[in-house]
Amino acid sequence: MAHVHDPYEEAKKQLRQTIELLGLSEEIYEILAYPERLIQVRLPVKMDDGTVKVFIAWRSQHNSALGPYKGGVRYHPNTDAHEVIALSMWMTWKNSLAGLPYGGGKGGIRVDPHKLSQSELMRLSKAYFEAISDLVGVDQDIPAPDVYTNPQTMAWYFDAYSRIKRGQYFGVVTGKPLELGGLQTRIIATGFGTAVAARELAKKLWGGLEGKVVAVQGYGNAGYYAAKFLHEWGAKIIAVSDSKGGILVESGLDPDEVLKVKRETRSVINFPNAKRITNEELLELDVDILVPAAIENVITEANADKIKAKAIVEAANGPTTPEAEEILTKKGIIVVPDILANAGGVIMSHIEWVNNRMGGWITEEEARNRLEQKMMNNFAKVWDYWQTKLDTSKYNMRAAAYAIAVDRVVRAMKLRGWI
Ligand code: NAD
């Protein structure tokens, strides 16, 4: 395995704990611990120099009790089947928790997209979508962007699918460019939603966000917009990072100025007059809120003891291992779990999908208001369950979120007669 920590093993552990908490049967674990379908394809793609490279790719369709599979596609050199399955399982819980009419799915291609030209990426993306085209669809499985994929990738998917199926199937992917049925708010949605979750937590813990000190790991779509809105709402962003390393400015950073430097030089580390730090050091800073917004398994049993943040709001999927979380729970560090904190993207994807099916009806302002309200309701739902139904000294917020999410999926499976 490419991972020291296998995210799939961790996802199964989290499911196991929830099955025990809810007193559910072993057969329910047997159904939910595996994807309903795992697709693996090998994609020969012609490179610009005339040579052919073969890429391996997956789509994991975890559970469809609540509706069509829904979840992003990741382009990453380390992705593998286990990572994709884990991510698809987390999507099932995320969609369920948010009350959406979706099951969970996720895709991945093992590739370093930075090493491909735009035309090579287009051929790879279209080849992937062609290969899975019979198993995705507006009511079957609806992909979206994830790490190193973006609205352009979705435009290629949409085009490949629409040509094969001889129609214009806008609802087959979400996170599309505005010209092809996307919504501007989808672009900000994940980070904005994470910032709303952090704001709601700050209200509970400290009466608000004003002056709270924040560090953000990862400065892509999720990390940048989380930093931007937290900054706008009065928090002080003192450190950010990307795959090349991090920067620290005790007096606070302006997220837009950092983005400018990242865009011009391809990394935040070139930001002037900042102290250079490593990604590991960023995670251990003494801050009020730590926002991991890069990849999974960055907070493990190896560094959990050194985490000084008072709260962690997970923009990334699976950044905290279950072993690490046990340590954090004992230390009294609150973790707002990924399936709650980064649900903004898929909530907005749902709005985009409905909008496509209705031929376009929503304004950007309405879309953002709906997203904000839904994130606030989601947060309140989990917080209240945690505070009123669980022993908070024993169970953390993730346990509450999982309990609500798994329970809804199980009820849907019962109603359908699967169990
Ligand atoms: P992105 O490609 O836009 O950005 C990823 C960022 O992480 C980049 O700044 C990159 O430099 C950095 N990074 C990559 N490897 C790193 C490493 N080893 N250490 C530190 N930084 C590293 O991706 P994104 O869409 O912002 O996704 C980030 C996380 O958020 C992922 O876990 C993803 O699954 C999750 N997420 C994204 C969305 C979405 O809508 N984009 C929705 C839900 C969850």
Side-chain angles (χ1 to χ4, degrees):
M1 291 302 308
H3 301 273
V4 181
H5 285 271
D6 181 344
Y8 182 33
E9 289 308 315
E10 274 145 26
K12 283 196 282 190
K13 218 176 276 173
Q14 291 161 339
L15 173 64
R16 169 68 69 199
Q17 288 166 354
T18 311
I19 295 278
E20 281 165 15
L21 173 65
L22 294 176
L24 297 171
S25 68
E26 187 59 26
E27 61 216 29
I28 291 176
Y29 176 82
E30 275 299 305
I31 298 173
L32 295 175
Y34 303 91
E36 289 173 5
R37 182 190 283 129
L38 176 66
I39 306 159
Q40 177 176 302
V41 289
R42 288 177 67 80
L43 308 165
V45 178
K46 198 165 262 182
M47 298 288 106
D48 292 343
D49 65 4
T51 60
V52 172
K53 269 199 185 137
V54 184
F55 297 88
I56 187 163
W58 299 269
R59 181 77 186 165
S60 171
Q61 299 180 327
H62 174 253
N63 188 279
S64 58
L66 289 169
Y69 310 103
K70 180 95 191 81
V73 182
R74 169 175 296 197
Y75 288 8
H76 199 276
N78 295 337
T79 201
D80 58 29
H82 273 204
E83 179 182 73
V84 174
I85 296 171
L87 288 162
S88 71
M89 201 192 289
W90 289 329
M91 285 311 300
T92 300
W93 313 142
K94 192 182 304 179
N95 295 337
S96 173
L97 179 65
L100 301 175
Y102 291 141
K106 200 86 179 193
I109 305 183
R110 188 180 295 159
V111 57
D112 182 350
H114 299 117
K115 293 195 175 135
L116 266 58
S117 69
Q118 277 298 99
S119 54
E120 288 166 343
L121 272 176
M122 179 177 78
R123 289 195 288 277
L124 173 64
S125 300
K126 290 195 171 191
Y128 175 66
F129 223 67
E130 274 172 39
I132 63 170
S133 61
D134 277 342
L135 297 164
V136 294
V138 181
D139 289 311
Q140 251 178 302
D141 186 353
I142 309 138
D146 190 66
V147 175
Y148 298 152
T149 54
N150 52 38
Q152 174 62 78
T153 326
M154 298 306 115
W156 291 328
Y157 288 171
F158 159 71
D159 187 67
Y161 187 84
S162 295
R163 279 169 186 272
I164 293 166
K165 303 290 176 185
R166 295 185 173 273
Q168 299 287 350
Y169 297 95
F170 290 106
V172 70
V173 283
T174 57
K176 297 179 293 295
L178 305 188
E179 295 80 353
L180 296 173
L183 289 165
Q184 181 66 33
T185 317
R186 176 63 185 88
I187 293 161
I188 66 163
T190 301
F192 175 77
T194 302
V196 172
R199 188 187 69 196
E200 294 309 294
L201 179 74
K203 279 189 207 160
K204 297 278 184 201
L205 298 182
W206 309 298
L209 259 183
E210 197 57 42
K212 291 298 149 198
V213 177
V214 178
V216 181
Q217 185 197 36
Y219 214 63
N221 179 273
Y224 160 64
Y225 283 109
K228 177 183 169 65
F229 287 103
L230 287 169
H231 173 74
E232 265 183 42
W233 298 337
K236 186 161 86 167
I237 315 297
I238 63 159
V240 299
S241 70
D242 58 29
S243 58
K244 299 199 175 74
I247 50 167
L248 169 68
V249 174
E250 298 281 0
S251 57
L253 289 155
D254 177 336
D256 284 328
E257 283 175 16
V258 178
L259 183 70
K260 224 169 116 205
V261 171
K262 181 163 170 79
R263 284 213 172 120
E264 282 163 7
T265 69
R266 299 196 68 171
S267 177
V268 298
I269 59 172
N270 301 310
F271 192 79
N273 305 321
K275 184 177 172 208
R276 284 278 305 273
I277 55 172
T278 63
N279 265 290
E280 292 71 31
E281 286 166 339
L282 180 139
L283 294 171
E284 294 165 16
L285 289 173
D286 190 0
V287 292
D288 295 304
I289 303 173
L290 171 65
V291 181
I295 47 166
E296 59 265 24
N297 294 331
V298 292
I299 303 171
T300 67
E301 67 272 33
N303 64 356
D305 232 1
K306 295 184 221 143
I307 303 282
K308 293 181 210 70
K310 296 179 186 65
I312 297 173
V313 182
E314 296 183 332
N317 283 308
T320 313
T321 67
E323 294 76 18
E325 196 158 12
E326 264 176 45
I327 299 170
L328 299 176
T329 304
K330 278 191 196 129
K331 285 176 70 170
I333 298 174
I334 295 182
V335 180
V336 182
D338 46 8
I339 62 166
L340 170 60
N342 70 25
V346 74
I347 291 169
M348 199 57 220
S349 275
H350 177 243
I351 295 172
E352 179 183 330
W353 180 76
V354 174
N355 196 41
N356 291 152
R357 305 193 83 174
M358 293 177 68
W361 105 107
I362 204 164
T363 64
E364 293 288 350
E365 194 189 346
E366 280 169 325
R368 190 196 284 214
N369 289 341
R370 272 171 191 261
L371 170 62
E372 182 167 12
Q373 202 51 55
K374 187 109 183 144
M375 282 302 302
M376 288 168 68
N377 293 347
N378 248 6
F379 182 91
K381 184 164 70 179
V382 176
W383 183 270
D384 292 347
Y385 188 101
W386 184 41
Q387 295 288 319
T388 60
K389 295 214 162 65
L390 300 180
D391 173 355
T392 53
S393 66
K394 212 167 134 204
Y395 293 101
N396 50 35
M397 250 186 122
R398 191 184 315 273
Y402 266 63
I404 297 168
V406 173
D407 177 63
R408 180 166 175 245
V409 174
V410 170
R411 281 188 285 123
M413 293 201 300
K414 278 194 182 135
L415 287 165
R416 282 174 176 253
W418 294 2
I419 45 174

